[in-house]
Structure formats: C-alpha cells, structure tokens
Amino acid sequence: MSNRPPRTLFLAAALEAVVGLLAVGGGLYTGFEVIVGEPQNTTTALAVAVLALAGGAAMLKVAHGLATRAHWSRSPAVLTQLFLLPVAVSLVQSDQPQWGYPLAAVAVCALLALFSRPVTVALYGGGEQEEERPD
C-alpha cells in the first residue's frame, strides 16, 4: 500500500484550509474596521472578529489534521462544511450569489471528498482484513 495520502484527502484538507483562511481574513478585516472605523455596535463587531479568528484557527487546525491523517479530523471538517451550506444559501438569497455559489461549491466538494472511500481508508484504515465477529 502506498504511503502517499490520496488526492481526495489533500483536496479535503485544502478546501478546509481555504475556508479557515477566509474566516481568519474576515476576522482580521472586522477587527481592523473596529479600530479605524465607526461600527454601529463596537461590542458586537469585536465579538464577531474574535469568533471569526478563533473559528478560522480551529478550521486551520482541522485542515492540518486532515493533511496528517489524524482520524479525529473528519468529523469537525464535515461539520464545517455542513455549517457553510446554510451560509451559502443565505448569501444567495440576500442577493450576493457571487459569494454564495462558490461557498456552496466548496462545501459540496469538500463533503464529497471527506466521504470518499480513499479518505475513509486513509484516516481509519481497513480493507485488508476484517475482524471476525462472533455469531
């Protein structure tokens, strides 16, 4: 068996990292706007910035976990993509399809990659021998 990770695992890790970087970028932008601008509600804007930064950092950690074949990383990656789908739909419905459709495409592609057989085997093993089960 090859020691190289499957391409679908690389794709899932890359897409998770892209979403994480977008969240970190959004958090930095919001934080910058709080400092130099005049937000309507400073507390809410700071909370959004902190949550976006923390969430983005967590997503980057999950992407690293996928890249290093950590079996724990698939569940949070799936959750990330499932949370991204309603955000994408909301963006499309609020007349921002230029953001919504690409986010939906990222989420669907990542989910397909995460549930592919090569990713399952890479993260959890299996396939060579099945354990005998008592009847």
Side-chain angles (χ1 to χ4, degrees):
M1 185 171 167
S2 172
N3 198 23
R4 292 184 59 188
R7 289 182 183 147
T8 50
L9 184 58
F10 175 77
L11 175 64
L15 292 173
E16 182 75 14
V18 165
V19 174
L21 289 172
L22 286 173
V24 168
L28 291 173
Y29 176 78
T30 303
F32 178 76
E33 286 294 313
V34 167
I35 294 168
V36 300
E38 295 180 20
Q40 289 181 342
N41 188 328
T42 304
T43 305
T44 301
L46 281 174
V48 168
V50 169
L51 287 173
L53 289 169
M59 288 180 239
L60 292 172
K61 175 72 174 167
V62 170
H64 181 263
L66 288 170
T68 58
R69 298 184 194 185
H71 68 277
W72 60 264
S73 60
R74 182 158 79 170
S75 293
V78 168
L79 283 174
T80 299
Q81 305 316 315
L82 290 177
F83 289 145
L84 190 58
L85 286 172
V87 171
V89 170
S90 176
L91 285 168
V92 170
Q93 290 175 343
S94 63
D95 293 328
Q96 297 181 29
Q98 71 277 13
W99 293 102
Y101 288 127
L103 285 178
V106 165
V108 170
C109 289
L111 286 168
L112 290 172
L114 287 164
F115 286 115
S116 69
R117 176 140 177 79
V119 169
T120 300
V121 171
L123 294 178
Y124 303 108
E128 280 83 14
Q129 288 183 327
E130 284 192 33
E131 291 182 26
E132 291 185 32
R133 297 181 196 165
D135 291 315

